[in-house]
Amino acid sequence: MLRIVPVVALLALWVWAFIDCLTTPEDEVRHLPKVVWVIVVLFFPLLGSIAWLVAGKDRTRRRRVPWPSGPTAGYPEYERPRPLAPDDDPEFLASLKRGNEQHEDMLKQWEADLRRREEELRRGEGRDPKDDGAGS
């Protein structure tokens, strides 16, 4: 069991250094071209991995993120408005209310039309079936 631990640690170091070397941008690689570093780490797992971690990558440079300057600089919650969920968006809720009002108006018109037709049918039932409405 104790013999496996160093092998697993070496393998983990090698894989991590190899992936780090592959994913590092070209402008952050020091002393050798990136392709040479990949070959060194690949063919010399222990020494190449340690060399990459110590001397291969410029770890002092910080990536600069462009940040807008202005009265709210440094307060990202004021810089970029977050998208609102539909149930928090007042415009969306207002459009739902307008849609509901339109549907209710249409339903009221249909109900009134249905009542009118039912009244016409009731009034028509009292007529003589022989009278077809054509004047004789």
Side-chain angles (χ1 to χ4, degrees), residues 28-44:
E28 292 182 19
V29 176
R30 297 187 312 177
H31 303 296
L32 295 173
K34 184 176 177 176
V35 175
V36 175
W37 275 116
V38 170
I39 293 171
V40 167
V41 171
L42 188 62
F43 290 121
F44 303 103

Side-chain angles (χ1 to χ4, degrees), residues 31-84:
H31 303 296
L32 295 173
K34 184 176 177 176
V35 175
V36 175
W37 275 116
V38 170
I39 293 171
V40 167
V41 171
L42 188 62
F43 290 121
F44 303 103
L46 180 62
L47 294 176
S49 298
I50 293 172
W52 168 253
L53 294 175
V54 171
K57 184 176 181 181
D58 184 11
R59 299 183 193 283
T60 59
R61 184 187 342 185
R62 294 186 179 180
R63 294 183 184 182
R64 294 197 169 241
V65 177
W67 193 264
S69 61
T72 59
Y75 298 96
E77 61 272 10
Y78 297 115
E79 287 287 332
R80 297 172 215 96
R82 289 185 344 195
L84 293 175

Side-chain angles (χ1 to χ4, degrees), residues 85-96:
D87 57 344
D88 291 337
D89 187 5
E91 293 176 21
F92 178 73
L93 294 175
S95 72
L96 286 180

Side-chain angles (χ1 to χ4, degrees), residues 16-17 21 23 30 33-35 38 51 60 63 71 74 76 78 90 92 95 103 110-111 119 121 128 131-132:
W16 184 72
C21 184
T23 59
R30 297 187 312 177
K34 184 176 177 176
V35 175
V38 170
T60 59
R63 294 183 184 182
Y78 297 115
F92 178 73
S95 72
H103 289 132
W110 286 350
E111 289 173 345
E119 282 296 320
L121 283 175
D128 189 11
D131 184 19
D132 60 355

